[in-house]
Amino acid sequence: MIDKKQARKQVIAASRQNNEPASLRERRLAALGLMEKLPLPRMQRFKFQEWPLIKAQLAWCPSSSDRLALDQPDPEAVRAIQLGQSTVQLQLPQALREQGVILTDIFTAAREHPDMFNKYFMSAIKADENLLTAYHQAYLNAGLFLYIPKGVTVKQPIEAELIQDNTQEEPLVSHILVIADRGSQVKFTQHLSSIGEHDNPANMMIELVAQDDSEIDFSSLDELGAHTYFKRRADIARNAHVEWAVGIMNDGDTVGDMDSELLGEGGYANSKMIAVTTGKQEVGINNRVTNRGKHTTGLINQRGVILEHSELIFNGIGQIVHGAHGSDADQQNRVLIMSPQARGDANPILLIDENDVVAAHAASVGLVDPHQLYYLMSRGIPRPQAQRMVIRGFLGAVLTAIPSKDVRNRMIDILERKLADGLRYQ
């Protein structure tokens, strides 16, 4: 149990030490009051209630970048690196600054851009949704803020490297807020990783605000450890377009939500995800697209590979609300089980409250296709390599959607390592 008075005093002191505006401090305290009232998020057929996902402390612990091998970035690159709570590198070319693009850490945004911050921070994700969203707002200690002005196209992918500093006993509670104004276009790629041996929880949230006629391509390579909760949500306005491409390669247990809210007429969301689990990992994911506007399109494509004694649960949730006529909801949830000790499930869920719509789903849980294996092995390819080739093809729809070549290659390298380790004793 959290001592409410002590927690309140500690949050106020830490907020003042961080030179935060009073509005953010009040939001922290409001969320702190919600924590004792709210339940954990729901995850069908997946138990995580006993996981240590909350570490109720707010302290400022600078991290040393000496352990990082920082390369010299291209001067035209748009890049941010955060190690724990410390911003190690922040690069935004002058040409983009002159067009009004803003890239900064989340607390600088609260101080220097209060109108936008107060309007959009925790607007797609609400603090009162569950215990972990309230905890997030109360104990936020890291994050990034990106604003793309009206009509601006950022051609190069914006790359964010977020590293959990487990050399210290400090949780990572990180928030990324991306605002794409009307008619703007941006590609955002993040890589989540960790260093150190402490088992700190990670609470990672992303809000995408895609205004009318804007486009956001968001890709992520997740490579965290210990226990992770993530929540990612996009608010998608009229004729706006959001693409998600996410690779869950964490080494530890993970539970999370992906949400796309199609709010305006003609909006489009394509939510693509792969997950690979090994060892005794437990991973549970809700991937949800909600059609609220007319003539909207919501797509889900999830693919998972389960190795050794691990567990993976995919819940694909497509919802068309009453009034969203002319909309399309389609999803695929496919899982390969590579071990008799592994456990997996792919649960397609359609919630349809309108007649003039198109809705479909597909789900499969099974082994590698023996005909594909036989074909490759008949060409002289050893069985372990043939298995990895089939799996690479199975996951290819998401791998090819990642705009950054470096991140894509890094994901493939991690995938190869996890598959090689996980298949060694199959």
Side-chain angles (χ1 to χ4, degrees):
M1 292 292 291
I2 299 174
D3 185 321
K4 290 187 291 183
K5 290 185 178 179
Q6 186 61 32
R8 183 180 176 88
K9 286 173 62 177
Q10 196 252 335
V11 166
I12 291 173
S15 178
R16 286 174 174 164
Q17 182 187 352
N18 198 36
N19 193 29
E20 295 175 0
S23 58
L24 178 54
R25 185 156 54 250
E26 290 303 314
R27 294 177 77 163
R28 287 188 185 276
L29 295 175
L32 193 63
L34 291 171
M35 287 180 62
E36 64 180 9
K37 306 172 185 176
L38 294 171
L40 287 164
R42 284 191 62 199
M43 181 68 59
Q44 289 186 325
R45 303 183 186 181
F46 189 74
K47 295 182 179 180
F48 66 97
Q49 288 74 17
E50 301 302 318
W51 293 5
L53 291 171
I54 290 179
K55 194 171 184 178
Q57 65 183 56
L58 182 61
W60 306 109
C61 304
S63 298
S64 171
S65 62
D66 293 344
R67 297 183 61 176
L68 302 181
L70 297 175
D71 59 344
Q72 189 63 34
D74 180 342
E76 294 305 311
V78 188
R79 188 179 186 188
I81 300 177
Q82 287 189 334
L83 173 59
Q85 302 166 5
S86 301
T87 301
V88 175
Q89 189 176 93
L90 199 60
Q91 179 172 301
L92 182 64
Q94 185 61 32
L96 291 177
R97 294 178 188 271
E98 292 173 354
Q99 292 182 75
V101 175
I102 301 169
L103 175 63
T104 187
D105 71 89
I106 198 76
F107 299 114
T108 298
R111 289 188 291 266
E112 298 183 0
H113 309 283
D115 291 343
M116 279 194 292
F117 179 85
N118 291 331
K119 181 177 180 180
Y120 293 112
F121 173 69
M122 299 296 283
S123 62
I125 300 170
K126 308 295 185 184
D128 61 1
E129 289 185 29
N130 60 61
L131 174 58
L132 297 179
T133 56
Y135 166 71
H136 181 90
Q137 181 166 295
Y139 289 94
L140 177 72
N141 62 17
L144 295 170
F145 175 92
L146 173 65
Y147 170 69
I148 311 299
K150 180 180 177 181
V152 171
T153 296
V154 180
K155 295 181 180 179
Q156 61 270 55
I158 296 175
E159 299 184 6
E161 188 94 12
L162 306 183
I163 306 159
Q164 184 175 17
D165 186 359
N166 288 330
T167 65
Q168 309 183 72
E169 291 193 24
E170 187 70 22
L172 180 60
V173 184
S174 176
H175 193 99
I176 292 180
L177 175 56
V178 177
I179 305 165
D181 212 331
R182 293 177 58 189
S184 63
Q185 298 180 28
V186 64
K187 294 177 180 172
F188 190 101
T189 297
Q190 73 167 11
H191 178 213
L192 308 180
S193 61
S194 61
I195 59 171
E197 302 301 324
H198 289 292
D199 290 335
N200 293 313
N203 184 301
M204 317 294 289
M205 295 198 182
I206 292 163
E207 292 182 291
L208 306 183
V209 181
Q211 298 188 5
D212 292 356
D213 302 301
S214 65
E215 295 184 16
I216 302 177
D217 285 7
F218 188 98
S219 57
S220 179
L221 168 55
D222 296 9
E223 197 185 356
L224 294 169
H227 293 89
T228 300
Y229 173 69
F230 71 82
K231 193 170 185 68
R232 296 163 180 167
R233 181 171 294 164
D235 276 357
I236 304 167
R238 182 179 59 83
N239 294 327
H241 185 127
V242 170
E243 295 268 0
W244 300 94
V246 175
I248 305 293
M249 305 287 181
N250 294 336
D251 290 327
D253 297 334
T254 303
V255 62
D257 291 286
M258 292 262 296
D259 294 315
S260 299
E261 291 281 329
L262 292 158
L263 304 175
E265 183 173 356
Y268 175 94
N270 191 354
S271 187
K272 300 180 291 292
M273 178 183 293
I274 62 174
V276 179
T277 60
T278 58
K280 295 182 179 180
Q281 272 185 281
E282 296 175 88
V283 176
I285 297 169
N286 286 331
N287 194 343
R288 179 186 293 102
V289 178
T290 304
N291 301 66
R292 300 190 185 278
K294 301 174 183 178
H295 305 290
T296 51
T297 301
L299 309 176
I300 296 172
N301 188 357
Q302 301 188 109
R303 306 206 170 198
V305 179
I306 316 173
L307 302 149
E308 299 177 280
H309 295 77
S310 60
E311 176 184 5
L312 172 63
I313 304 297
F314 272 153
N315 294 317
I317 305 164
Q319 181 175 8
I320 301 179
V321 304
H322 183 68
H325 62 78
S327 292
D328 186 355
D330 185 87
Q331 61 172 287
Q332 296 185 39
N333 306 273
R334 303 191 185 278
V335 171
L336 285 180
I337 297 181
M338 304 300 299
S339 164
Q341 291 79 35
R343 177 174 177 267
D345 211 346
N347 303 310
I349 301 168
L350 287 177
L351 306 171
I352 311 300
D353 196 23
E354 183 57 65
N355 293 319
D356 181 21
V357 298
V358 176
H361 65 78
S364 65
V365 178
L367 305 175
V368 169
D369 188 334
H371 298 291
Q372 293 178 336
L373 273 183
Y374 176 79
Y375 176 85
L376 293 171
M377 292 170 66
S378 69
R379 267 63 183 172
I381 298 172
R383 182 181 180 87
Q385 183 181 350
Q387 285 182 310
R388 294 200 299 273
M389 291 175 68
V390 171
I391 292 169
R392 278 273 300 274
F394 174 73
L395 301 176
V398 175
L399 292 172
T400 56
I402 296 171
S404 169
K405 183 179 179 181
D406 289 343
V407 174
R408 187 164 61 247
N409 290 337
R410 195 179 305 170
M411 186 180 291
I412 291 171
D413 290 343
I414 296 166
L415 173 62
E416 288 290 340
R417 172 177 56 79
K418 289 177 78 79
L419 291 178
D421 291 344
L423 292 170
R424 184 175 300 166
Y425 303 109
Q426 305 289 358

PDB file of all heavy atoms in Angstrom, residues 5 22 52 64 79 100 102 104 120 122 135 143 154 168 174 198 214 224 242 306 314 325 367 372 376-377 422 424-425:
ATOM      1  N   LYS A   5      -0.164  10.436   2.089  1.00  0.00           N
ATOM      2  CA  LYS A   5       0.416  11.717   2.488  1.00  0.00           C
ATOM      3  C   LYS A   5       1.888  11.793   2.106  1.00  0.00           C
ATOM      4  O   LYS A   5       2.361  12.808   1.589  1.00  0.00           O
ATOM      5  CB  LYS A   5       0.234  11.925   3.987  1.00  0.00           C
ATOM      6  CG  LYS A   5      -1.202  12.187   4.407  1.00  0.00           C
ATOM      7  CD  LYS A   5      -1.285  12.498   5.901  1.00  0.00           C
ATOM      8  CE  LYS A   5      -2.732  12.806   6.310  1.00  0.00           C
ATOM      9  NZ  LYS A   5      -2.836  13.089   7.770  1.00  0.00           N
ATOM     10  N   ALA A  22       2.972  24.518 -12.582  1.00  0.00           N
ATOM     11  CA  ALA A  22       1.967  24.097 -11.591  1.00  0.00           C
ATOM     12  C   ALA A  22       0.904  23.194 -12.209  1.00  0.00           C
ATOM     13  O   ALA A  22       0.384  22.287 -11.544  1.00  0.00           O
ATOM     14  CB  ALA A  22       1.320  25.335 -10.964  1.00  0.00           C
ATOM     15  N   PRO A  52       5.341  -7.074 -10.748  1.00  0.00           N
ATOM     16  CA  PRO A  52       5.765  -5.814 -10.106  1.00  0.00           C
ATOM     17  C   PRO A  52       5.866  -4.678 -11.122  1.00  0.00           C
ATOM     18  O   PRO A  52       6.955  -4.242 -11.508  1.00  0.00           O
ATOM     19  CB  PRO A  52       7.131  -6.176  -9.517  1.00  0.00           C
ATOM     20  CG  PRO A  52       7.665  -7.221 -10.449  1.00  0.00           C
ATOM     21  CD  PRO A  52       6.471  -8.015 -10.915  1.00  0.00           C
ATOM     22  N   SER A  64      24.821   8.497 -16.773  1.00  0.00           N
ATOM     23  CA  SER A  64      26.057   8.798 -17.499  1.00  0.00           C
ATOM     24  C   SER A  64      26.041   8.080 -18.839  1.00  0.00           C
ATOM     25  O   SER A  64      25.729   6.882 -18.911  1.00  0.00           O
ATOM     26  CB  SER A  64      27.271   8.351 -16.690  1.00  0.00           C
ATOM     27  OG  SER A  64      28.444   8.461 -17.465  1.00  0.00           O
ATOM     28  N   ARG A  79      17.122  13.234 -34.662  1.00  0.00           N
ATOM     29  CA  ARG A  79      17.445  12.139 -33.754  1.00  0.00           C
ATOM     30  C   ARG A  79      17.360  12.578 -32.310  1.00  0.00           C
ATOM     31  O   ARG A  79      17.724  13.711 -31.966  1.00  0.00           O
ATOM     32  CB  ARG A  79      18.865  11.644 -34.060  1.00  0.00           C
ATOM     33  CG  ARG A  79      19.285  10.385 -33.344  1.00  0.00           C
ATOM     34  CD  ARG A  79      20.685  10.006 -33.759  1.00  0.00           C
ATOM     35  NE  ARG A  79      21.082   8.726 -33.199  1.00  0.00           N
ATOM     36  CZ  ARG A  79      22.306   8.226 -33.273  1.00  0.00           C
ATOM     37  NH1 ARG A  79      23.248   8.901 -33.901  1.00  0.00           N
ATOM     38  NH2 ARG A  79      22.602   7.062 -32.747  1.00  0.00           N
ATOM     39  N   GLY A 100       9.045  25.374 -38.184  1.00  0.00           N
ATOM     40  CA  GLY A 100       8.215  25.290 -36.998  1.00  0.00           C
ATOM     41  C   GLY A 100       8.160  23.933 -36.341  1.00  0.00           C
ATOM     42  O   GLY A 100       7.392  23.735 -35.386  1.00  0.00           O
ATOM     43  N   ILE A 102       9.033  21.098 -33.827  1.00  0.00           N
ATOM     44  CA  ILE A 102       9.532  21.101 -32.445  1.00  0.00           C
ATOM     45  C   ILE A 102       9.848  19.676 -32.038  1.00  0.00           C
ATOM     46  O   ILE A 102       9.009  18.783 -32.170  1.00  0.00           O
ATOM     47  CB  ILE A 102       8.496  21.698 -31.465  1.00  0.00           C
ATOM     48  CG1 ILE A 102       8.145  23.138 -31.851  1.00  0.00           C
ATOM     49  CG2 ILE A 102       9.024  21.643 -30.030  1.00  0.00           C
ATOM     50  CD1 ILE A 102       6.948  23.683 -31.092  1.00  0.00           C
ATOM     51  N   THR A 104      11.679  18.020 -28.585  1.00  0.00           N
ATOM     52  CA  THR A 104      12.303  18.308 -27.295  1.00  0.00           C
ATOM     53  C   THR A 104      11.890  17.241 -26.293  1.00  0.00           C
ATOM     54  O   THR A 104      11.067  16.375 -26.593  1.00  0.00           O
ATOM     55  CB  THR A 104      11.901  19.715 -26.808  1.00  0.00           C
ATOM     56  OG1 THR A 104      12.636  20.040 -25.642  1.00  0.00           O
ATOM     57  CG2 THR A 104      10.421  19.790 -26.503  1.00  0.00           C
ATOM     58  N   TYR A 120      -2.824  18.408 -25.308  1.00  0.00           N
ATOM     59  CA  TYR A 120      -2.684  17.087 -25.905  1.00  0.00           C
ATOM     60  C   TYR A 120      -2.073  16.023 -24.992  1.00  0.00           C
ATOM     61  O   TYR A 120      -2.266  14.832 -25.244  1.00  0.00           O
ATOM     62  CB  TYR A 120      -1.855  17.182 -27.192  1.00  0.00           C
ATOM     63  CG  TYR A 120      -2.545  17.942 -28.291  1.00  0.00           C
ATOM     64  CD1 TYR A 120      -2.075  19.182 -28.715  1.00  0.00           C
ATOM     65  CD2 TYR A 120      -3.687  17.422 -28.897  1.00  0.00           C
ATOM     66  CE1 TYR A 120      -2.714  19.888 -29.724  1.00  0.00           C
ATOM     67  CE2 TYR A 120      -4.334  18.120 -29.899  1.00  0.00           C
ATOM     68  CZ  TYR A 120      -3.847  19.346 -30.318  1.00  0.00           C
ATOM     69  OH  TYR A 120      -4.485  20.047 -31.306  1.00  0.00           O
ATOM     70  N   MET A 122      -1.813  13.331 -22.419  1.00  0.00           N
ATOM     71  CA  MET A 122      -2.835  12.461 -21.814  1.00  0.00           C
ATOM     72  C   MET A 122      -4.241  12.846 -22.283  1.00  0.00           C
ATOM     73  O   MET A 122      -5.203  12.868 -21.505  1.00  0.00           O
ATOM     74  CB  MET A 122      -2.745  12.486 -20.293  1.00  0.00           C
ATOM     75  CG  MET A 122      -1.420  11.985 -19.732  1.00  0.00           C
ATOM     76  SD  MET A 122      -1.042  10.241 -20.064  1.00  0.00           S
ATOM     77  CE  MET A 122      -2.076   9.399 -18.879  1.00  0.00           C
ATOM     78  N   TYR A 135      -0.839   5.749 -12.664  1.00  0.00           N
ATOM     79  CA  TYR A 135       0.553   5.686 -12.209  1.00  0.00           C
ATOM     80  C   TYR A 135       1.472   6.417 -13.179  1.00  0.00           C
ATOM     81  O   TYR A 135       2.393   7.146 -12.776  1.00  0.00           O
ATOM     82  CB  TYR A 135       0.960   4.221 -12.068  1.00  0.00           C
ATOM     83  CG  TYR A 135       2.443   3.972 -11.936  1.00  0.00           C
ATOM     84  CD1 TYR A 135       3.130   4.311 -10.775  1.00  0.00           C
ATOM     85  CD2 TYR A 135       3.158   3.369 -12.976  1.00  0.00           C
ATOM     86  CE1 TYR A 135       4.495   4.065 -10.650  1.00  0.00           C
ATOM     87  CE2 TYR A 135       4.512   3.122 -12.861  1.00  0.00           C
ATOM     88  CZ  TYR A 135       5.182   3.471 -11.702  1.00  0.00           C
ATOM     89  OH  TYR A 135       6.533   3.241 -11.591  1.00  0.00           O
ATOM     90  N   GLY A 143      10.658  11.255 -21.389  1.00  0.00           N
ATOM     91  CA  GLY A 143       9.819  11.275 -22.584  1.00  0.00           C
ATOM     92  C   GLY A 143      10.217  12.329 -23.586  1.00  0.00           C
ATOM     93  O   GLY A 143      11.113  13.162 -23.351  1.00  0.00           O
ATOM     94  N   VAL A 154       8.106  16.021 -43.198  1.00  0.00           N
ATOM     95  CA  VAL A 154       9.460  15.677 -42.764  1.00  0.00           C
ATOM     96  C   VAL A 154       9.855  14.419 -43.526  1.00  0.00           C
ATOM     97  O   VAL A 154       9.325  13.333 -43.281  1.00  0.00           O
ATOM     98  CB  VAL A 154       9.523  15.444 -41.241  1.00  0.00           C
ATOM     99  CG1 VAL A 154      10.943  15.099 -40.817  1.00  0.00           C
ATOM    100  CG2 VAL A 154       9.032  16.677 -40.496  1.00  0.00           C
ATOM    101  N   GLN A 168      20.769   1.674 -12.191  1.00  0.00           N
ATOM    102  CA  GLN A 168      20.228   2.299 -10.996  1.00  0.00           C
ATOM    103  C   GLN A 168      18.885   1.660 -10.650  1.00  0.00           C
ATOM    104  O   GLN A 168      18.207   1.125 -11.523  1.00  0.00           O
ATOM    105  CB  GLN A 168      20.032   3.806 -11.219  1.00  0.00           C
ATOM    106  CG  GLN A 168      21.261   4.519 -11.756  1.00  0.00           C
ATOM    107  CD  GLN A 168      21.033   6.006 -11.875  1.00  0.00           C
ATOM    108  OE1 GLN A 168      20.980   6.706 -10.886  1.00  0.00           O
ATOM    109  NE2 GLN A 168      20.894   6.487 -13.100  1.00  0.00           N
ATOM    110  N   SER A 174       7.987   6.575 -19.189  1.00  0.00           N
ATOM    111  CA  SER A 174       8.310   7.414 -20.347  1.00  0.00           C
ATOM    112  C   SER A 174       7.080   7.657 -21.215  1.00  0.00           C
ATOM    113  O   SER A 174       6.271   6.749 -21.434  1.00  0.00           O
ATOM    114  CB  SER A 174       9.411   6.742 -21.173  1.00  0.00           C
ATOM    115  OG  SER A 174       9.681   7.467 -22.352  1.00  0.00           O
ATOM    116  N   HIS A 198      19.581  -4.306 -12.755  1.00  0.00           N
ATOM    117  CA  HIS A 198      18.442  -4.182 -11.846  1.00  0.00           C
ATOM    118  C   HIS A 198      17.139  -4.496 -12.583  1.00  0.00           C
ATOM    119  O   HIS A 198      16.972  -4.153 -13.759  1.00  0.00           O
ATOM    120  CB  HIS A 198      18.369  -2.772 -11.260  1.00  0.00           C
ATOM    121  CG  HIS A 198      19.466  -2.477 -10.278  1.00  0.00           C
ATOM    122  ND1 HIS A 198      19.558  -3.100  -9.056  1.00  0.00           N
ATOM    123  CD2 HIS A 198      20.510  -1.621 -10.348  1.00  0.00           C
ATOM    124  CE1 HIS A 198      20.628  -2.641  -8.414  1.00  0.00           C
ATOM    125  NE2 HIS A 198      21.226  -1.749  -9.174  1.00  0.00           N
ATOM    126  N   SER A 214      -3.515  14.422 -42.191  1.00  0.00           N
ATOM    127  CA  SER A 214      -2.108  14.184 -41.850  1.00  0.00           C
ATOM    128  C   SER A 214      -1.767  12.702 -42.004  1.00  0.00           C
ATOM    129  O   SER A 214      -2.651  11.844 -42.130  1.00  0.00           O
ATOM    130  CB  SER A 214      -1.814  14.645 -40.428  1.00  0.00           C
ATOM    131  OG  SER A 214      -2.549  13.866 -39.497  1.00  0.00           O
ATOM    132  N   LEU A 224      13.274  -4.422 -24.394  1.00  0.00           N
ATOM    133  CA  LEU A 224      13.428  -4.160 -22.968  1.00  0.00           C
ATOM    134  C   LEU A 224      13.509  -5.472 -22.189  1.00  0.00           C
ATOM    135  O   LEU A 224      13.319  -6.555 -22.736  1.00  0.00           O
ATOM    136  CB  LEU A 224      12.254  -3.319 -22.458  1.00  0.00           C
ATOM    137  CG  LEU A 224      12.161  -1.897 -23.018  1.00  0.00           C
ATOM    138  CD1 LEU A 224      10.833  -1.269 -22.655  1.00  0.00           C
ATOM    139  CD2 LEU A 224      13.309  -1.035 -22.523  1.00  0.00           C
ATOM    140  N   VAL A 242      -2.666   6.626 -40.285  1.00  0.00           N
ATOM    141  CA  VAL A 242      -1.657   6.186 -39.318  1.00  0.00           C
ATOM    142  C   VAL A 242      -1.269   4.740 -39.612  1.00  0.00           C
ATOM    143  O   VAL A 242      -2.130   3.865 -39.745  1.00  0.00           O
ATOM    144  CB  VAL A 242      -2.164   6.295 -37.863  1.00  0.00           C
ATOM    145  CG1 VAL A 242      -1.208   5.600 -36.895  1.00  0.00           C
ATOM    146  CG2 VAL A 242      -2.316   7.762 -37.467  1.00  0.00           C
ATOM    147  N   ILE A 306       6.434 -18.442 -30.958  1.00  0.00           N
ATOM    148  CA  ILE A 306       6.565 -18.813 -29.550  1.00  0.00           C
ATOM    149  C   ILE A 306       7.542 -19.978 -29.442  1.00  0.00           C
ATOM    150  O   ILE A 306       7.340 -21.028 -30.054  1.00  0.00           O
ATOM    151  CB  ILE A 306       5.203 -19.212 -28.954  1.00  0.00           C
ATOM    152  CG1 ILE A 306       4.113 -18.224 -29.383  1.00  0.00           C
ATOM    153  CG2 ILE A 306       5.281 -19.265 -27.433  1.00  0.00           C
ATOM    154  CD1 ILE A 306       2.723 -18.646 -28.979  1.00  0.00           C
ATOM    155  N   PHE A 314      -2.358 -13.000 -28.227  1.00  0.00           N
ATOM    156  CA  PHE A 314      -2.747 -11.894 -29.099  1.00  0.00           C
ATOM    157  C   PHE A 314      -4.269 -11.742 -29.040  1.00  0.00           C
ATOM    158  O   PHE A 314      -4.998 -12.691 -29.364  1.00  0.00           O
ATOM    159  CB  PHE A 314      -2.375 -12.180 -30.550  1.00  0.00           C
ATOM    160  CG  PHE A 314      -0.989 -11.770 -30.958  1.00  0.00           C
ATOM    161  CD1 PHE A 314      -0.351 -12.440 -31.996  1.00  0.00           C
ATOM    162  CD2 PHE A 314      -0.341 -10.712 -30.353  1.00  0.00           C
ATOM    163  CE1 PHE A 314       0.916 -12.065 -32.408  1.00  0.00           C
ATOM    164  CE2 PHE A 314       0.927 -10.333 -30.750  1.00  0.00           C
ATOM    165  CZ  PHE A 314       1.559 -11.013 -31.777  1.00  0.00           C
ATOM    166  N   HIS A 325     -21.108   4.133 -40.669  1.00  0.00           N
ATOM    167  CA  HIS A 325     -21.463   3.342 -41.846  1.00  0.00           C
ATOM    168  C   HIS A 325     -20.442   3.528 -42.955  1.00  0.00           C
ATOM    169  O   HIS A 325     -19.738   4.533 -43.041  1.00  0.00           O
ATOM    170  CB  HIS A 325     -22.881   3.674 -42.332  1.00  0.00           C
ATOM    171  CG  HIS A 325     -23.067   5.093 -42.763  1.00  0.00           C
ATOM    172  ND1 HIS A 325     -22.642   5.558 -43.980  1.00  0.00           N
ATOM    173  CD2 HIS A 325     -23.633   6.162 -42.132  1.00  0.00           C
ATOM    174  CE1 HIS A 325     -22.943   6.842 -44.102  1.00  0.00           C
ATOM    175  NE2 HIS A 325     -23.541   7.239 -42.987  1.00  0.00           N
ATOM    176  N   LEU A 367       1.902 -25.033 -36.195  1.00  0.00           N
ATOM    177  CA  LEU A 367       3.323 -25.277 -36.394  1.00  0.00           C
ATOM    178  C   LEU A 367       3.761 -24.743 -37.748  1.00  0.00           C
ATOM    179  O   LEU A 367       2.952 -24.352 -38.587  1.00  0.00           O
ATOM    180  CB  LEU A 367       3.597 -26.779 -36.303  1.00  0.00           C
ATOM    181  CG  LEU A 367       3.116 -27.485 -35.025  1.00  0.00           C
ATOM    182  CD1 LEU A 367       3.347 -28.985 -35.141  1.00  0.00           C
ATOM    183  CD2 LEU A 367       3.821 -26.923 -33.805  1.00  0.00           C
ATOM    184  N   GLN A 372       6.578 -26.300 -46.662  1.00  0.00           N
ATOM    185  CA  GLN A 372       7.603 -25.278 -46.880  1.00  0.00           C
ATOM    186  C   GLN A 372       8.960 -25.760 -46.386  1.00  0.00           C
ATOM    187  O   GLN A 372       9.986 -25.551 -47.047  1.00  0.00           O
ATOM    188  CB  GLN A 372       7.195 -23.981 -46.171  1.00  0.00           C
ATOM    189  CG  GLN A 372       5.966 -23.317 -46.762  1.00  0.00           C
ATOM    190  CD  GLN A 372       5.565 -22.069 -45.990  1.00  0.00           C
ATOM    191  OE1 GLN A 372       5.875 -21.918 -44.812  1.00  0.00           O
ATOM    192  NE2 GLN A 372       4.858 -21.179 -46.655  1.00  0.00           N
ATOM    193  N   LEU A 376      12.469 -26.436 -48.753  1.00  0.00           N
ATOM    194  CA  LEU A 376      13.777 -25.837 -48.501  1.00  0.00           C
ATOM    195  C   LEU A 376      14.825 -26.908 -48.207  1.00  0.00           C
ATOM    196  O   LEU A 376      15.957 -26.838 -48.709  1.00  0.00           O
ATOM    197  CB  LEU A 376      13.688 -24.856 -47.338  1.00  0.00           C
ATOM    198  CG  LEU A 376      12.843 -23.600 -47.600  1.00  0.00           C
ATOM    199  CD1 LEU A 376      12.649 -22.821 -46.303  1.00  0.00           C
ATOM    200  CD2 LEU A 376      13.492 -22.718 -48.648  1.00  0.00           C
ATOM    201  N   MET A 377      14.460 -27.904 -47.408  1.00  0.00           N
ATOM    202  CA  MET A 377      15.425 -28.950 -47.059  1.00  0.00           C
ATOM    203  C   MET A 377      15.778 -29.810 -48.262  1.00  0.00           C
ATOM    204  O   MET A 377      16.906 -30.317 -48.364  1.00  0.00           O
ATOM    205  CB  MET A 377      14.864 -29.800 -45.921  1.00  0.00           C
ATOM    206  CG  MET A 377      14.751 -29.046 -44.594  1.00  0.00           C
ATOM    207  SD  MET A 377      13.817 -29.961 -43.325  1.00  0.00           S
ATOM    208  CE  MET A 377      14.907 -31.358 -43.055  1.00  0.00           C
ATOM    209  N   GLY A 422      16.356 -20.024 -29.371  1.00  0.00           N
ATOM    210  CA  GLY A 422      15.122 -20.710 -29.035  1.00  0.00           C
ATOM    211  C   GLY A 422      14.946 -22.038 -29.750  1.00  0.00           C
ATOM    212  O   GLY A 422      14.265 -22.937 -29.256  1.00  0.00           O
ATOM    213  N   ARG A 424      17.489 -24.015 -30.665  1.00  0.00           N
ATOM    214  CA  ARG A 424      18.669 -24.865 -30.485  1.00  0.00           C
ATOM    215  C   ARG A 424      18.296 -26.231 -29.948  1.00  0.00           C
ATOM    216  O   ARG A 424      18.861 -27.254 -30.343  1.00  0.00           O
ATOM    217  CB  ARG A 424      19.645 -24.167 -29.541  1.00  0.00           C
ATOM    218  CG  ARG A 424      20.971 -24.924 -29.366  1.00  0.00           C
ATOM    219  CD  ARG A 424      21.908 -24.095 -28.524  1.00  0.00           C
ATOM    220  NE  ARG A 424      22.173 -22.829 -29.172  1.00  0.00           N
ATOM    221  CZ  ARG A 424      22.753 -21.777 -28.555  1.00  0.00           C
ATOM    222  NH1 ARG A 424      23.074 -21.872 -27.284  1.00  0.00           N
ATOM    223  NH2 ARG A 424      22.968 -20.652 -29.218  1.00  0.00           N
ATOM    224  N   TYR A 425      17.340 -26.267 -29.019  1.00  0.00           N
ATOM    225  CA  TYR A 425      17.012 -27.548 -28.386  1.00  0.00           C
ATOM    226  C   TYR A 425      15.638 -28.072 -28.790  1.00  0.00           C
ATOM    227  O   TYR A 425      15.067 -28.921 -28.118  1.00  0.00           O
ATOM    228  CB  TYR A 425      17.070 -27.377 -26.852  1.00  0.00           C
ATOM    229  CG  TYR A 425      18.413 -26.870 -26.379  1.00  0.00           C
ATOM    230  CD1 TYR A 425      18.561 -25.571 -25.896  1.00  0.00           C
ATOM    231  CD2 TYR A 425      19.537 -27.686 -26.444  1.00  0.00           C
ATOM    232  CE1 TYR A 425      19.786 -25.097 -25.474  1.00  0.00           C
ATOM    233  CE2 TYR A 425      20.775 -27.216 -26.028  1.00  0.00           C
ATOM    234  CZ  TYR A 425      20.902 -25.922 -25.537  1.00  0.00           C
ATOM    235  OH  TYR A 425      22.128 -25.472 -25.128  1.00  0.00           O
TER     236      TYR A 425
END
